[in-house]
Amino acid sequence: MHTEKPKIHFTDNDLISPTNPITVNLIGAGGTGSKVLTALMEMNHSLMALGHAGLSVCLWDDDRITAANIGRQRFAESEKGLYKSVALINRVNRFSGTNWKAQTLKFEKDSLTRYAEEMRAVIYISCVDSVQSRFEIADILRGLHSNQRYYRDSPKYWLDFGNSQYTGQVILSTIGEIRQPDSKKYQTVANLPFITEEYGELLKQSETSDTTPSCSLAEALEKQDLFINASLTQMGCSLLWGLFRNGMTPYRGFFLNLKDFRSQPVLVD
C-alpha cells in the first residue's frame, strides 16, 4: 500500500549554525510590530544561550508616537512625538545590550537606491496595515533576490503578519527556493509562495477603505481589538522559533479568529 509522505520544509542551514548573527528586517512598529520586536529580543537571548549567534534586527517605520498608540502598543506617555522605531530600538538595546538599528523611513522602493545595503537581510518580517505595502514589499524582495552579488545576507524568508479587528493571519514564505536535503521520510518543499501570490485576491477584497490614523485609543480599538496583535505575535513568532529549534516545519502559517477562538493552520504544500 502506497502512503503519501508528509510534506516538510527544512530550514535553510545557514539559520541553524551561522557564523554571524542572522540579519532581520522588521517592517512596521505599530500594534503588531512593537510586540514582535519584544519577541525577537526574547528569541535572540534564548538562541544565544543555546550557542547560536543570535539575531541582528533593523526596525523600519517612519511614524511618530501619538496618544492613540499608548496602551495598545508598546509606548509610554513620555515617548509621544518620538519616532516609533527609535523609541523601541533604544529601549531594547538598553534592556538587552544589543546593537540593533532603527530606520525612520518606510521600507519602500523609493529607499532602494540610497539604502540598498540596509534593506538586505536574511529574514523579513512585515507588520504593515495596508495591502499595497505588502505588494510593494513582495516586489522589493524579488528584486533583492534577483540582484544578489554576494552570499552573506542573502534573502531567505518572509514572515507576514496581517489582521483586521478580530481576525488575522501569519504566512511564512521563502524568497526563492531553499535547498532541501534528501529525505526518505518526508516530501521536501523548497519553495513557499508569497502571501501576495497565494492570497492576493483575498487580500485585495479585505482591504479597508479607511486608512486614516486613529485620534484616540478608543477609536483605535474600533479598528483592531485589544489582543488580536498580541495573539498573532505569540503564535507567529512561535513558528519562526520552530524554524531555528526544530530545523523543519510542516506548517507555514495560520488563520486566527479571536472572536470565537478558532485557529486554522496552513500546511506546507
Side-chain angles (χ1 to χ4, degrees):
M1 179 179 175
H2 177 72
T3 303
E4 186 175 350
K5 294 189 290 186
K7 294 180 179 178
I8 286 284
H9 174 77
F10 283 92
T11 310
D12 187 275
N13 192 57
D14 289 334
L15 270 67
I16 305 300
S17 53
T19 304
N20 300 301
I22 300 295
T23 50
V24 180
N25 272 330
L26 175 56
I27 306 164
T32 302
S34 61
K35 295 175 176 65
V36 168
L37 184 67
T38 301
L40 291 175
M41 180 185 70
E42 296 168 351
M43 197 180 303
N44 176 64
H45 184 85
S46 301
L47 286 170
M48 293 179 69
L50 294 167
H52 190 278
L55 308 174
S56 177
V57 177
C58 182
L59 176 60
W60 297 72
D61 199 302
D62 68 337
D63 283 346
R64 293 181 182 268
I65 301 164
T66 67
N69 303 138
I70 299 166
R72 194 174 61 85
Q73 302 179 15
R74 293 281 193 262
F75 301 111
E77 186 75 25
S78 60
E79 294 174 319
K80 282 198 300 186
L82 300 177
Y83 281 107
K84 291 181 177 181
S85 57
V86 172
L88 289 169
I89 287 295
N90 283 344
R91 194 185 314 156
V92 165
N93 286 341
R94 287 195 301 268
F95 189 89
S96 59
T98 50
N99 189 30
W100 292 359
K101 308 297 182 184
Q103 291 286 354
T104 57
L105 63 155
K106 289 183 178 180
F107 190 91
E108 58 185 4
K109 289 181 180 178
D110 290 346
S111 305
L112 265 175
T113 303
R114 186 175 176 185
Y115 296 96
E117 294 306 313
E118 290 85 350
M119 295 177 78
R120 184 176 295 278
V122 176
I123 299 173
Y124 295 80
I125 303 175
S126 54
C127 307
V128 296
D129 54 10
S130 77
V131 172
Q132 180 182 350
S133 295
R134 286 185 176 85
F135 278 93
E136 184 161 3
I137 290 169
D139 287 342
I140 291 171
L141 297 185
R142 289 191 195 96
L144 290 172
H145 175 69
S146 62
N147 293 323
Q148 294 181 61
R149 294 190 298 272
Y150 49 85
Y151 187 72
R152 190 181 173 215
D153 290 345
S154 296
K156 303 286 187 184
Y157 292 100
W158 175 21
L159 187 65
D160 178 73
F161 290 75
N163 68 279
S164 56
Q165 186 173 8
Y166 297 106
T167 63
Q169 75 285 327
V170 177
I171 300 294
L172 175 70
S173 307
T174 59
I175 304 171
E177 292 194 351
I178 303 298
R179 184 178 178 181
Q180 300 289 287
D182 295 330
S183 176
K184 295 181 179 179
K185 185 176 180 180
Y186 300 110
Q187 180 181 342
T188 60
V189 178
N191 181 67
L192 308 177
F194 282 3
I195 184 173
T196 50
E197 296 169 352
E198 192 169 16
Y199 299 105
E201 289 304 314
L202 185 63
L203 287 172
K204 291 174 183 176
Q205 292 171 13
S206 67
E207 176 75 293
T208 175
S209 58
D210 182 11
T211 58
T212 56
S214 302
C215 297
S216 68
L217 177 57
E219 185 180 339
L221 291 172
E222 290 299 316
K223 299 177 182 178
Q224 297 185 38
D225 195 53
L226 183 58
F227 291 111
I228 184 63
N229 306 103
S231 301
L232 287 171
T233 295
Q234 293 301 304
M235 294 176 68
C237 288
S238 180
L239 174 61
L240 181 60
W241 173 247
L243 285 180
F244 287 105
R245 291 295 289 141
N246 303 324
M248 65 175 75
T249 179
Y251 306 104
R252 54 178 298 252
F254 60 88
F255 289 88
L256 176 67
N257 188 326
L258 198 58
K259 200 164 190 176
D260 59 11
F261 303 104
R262 283 185 296 121
S263 176
Q264 178 63 46
V266 178
L267 295 172
V268 167
D269 194 5

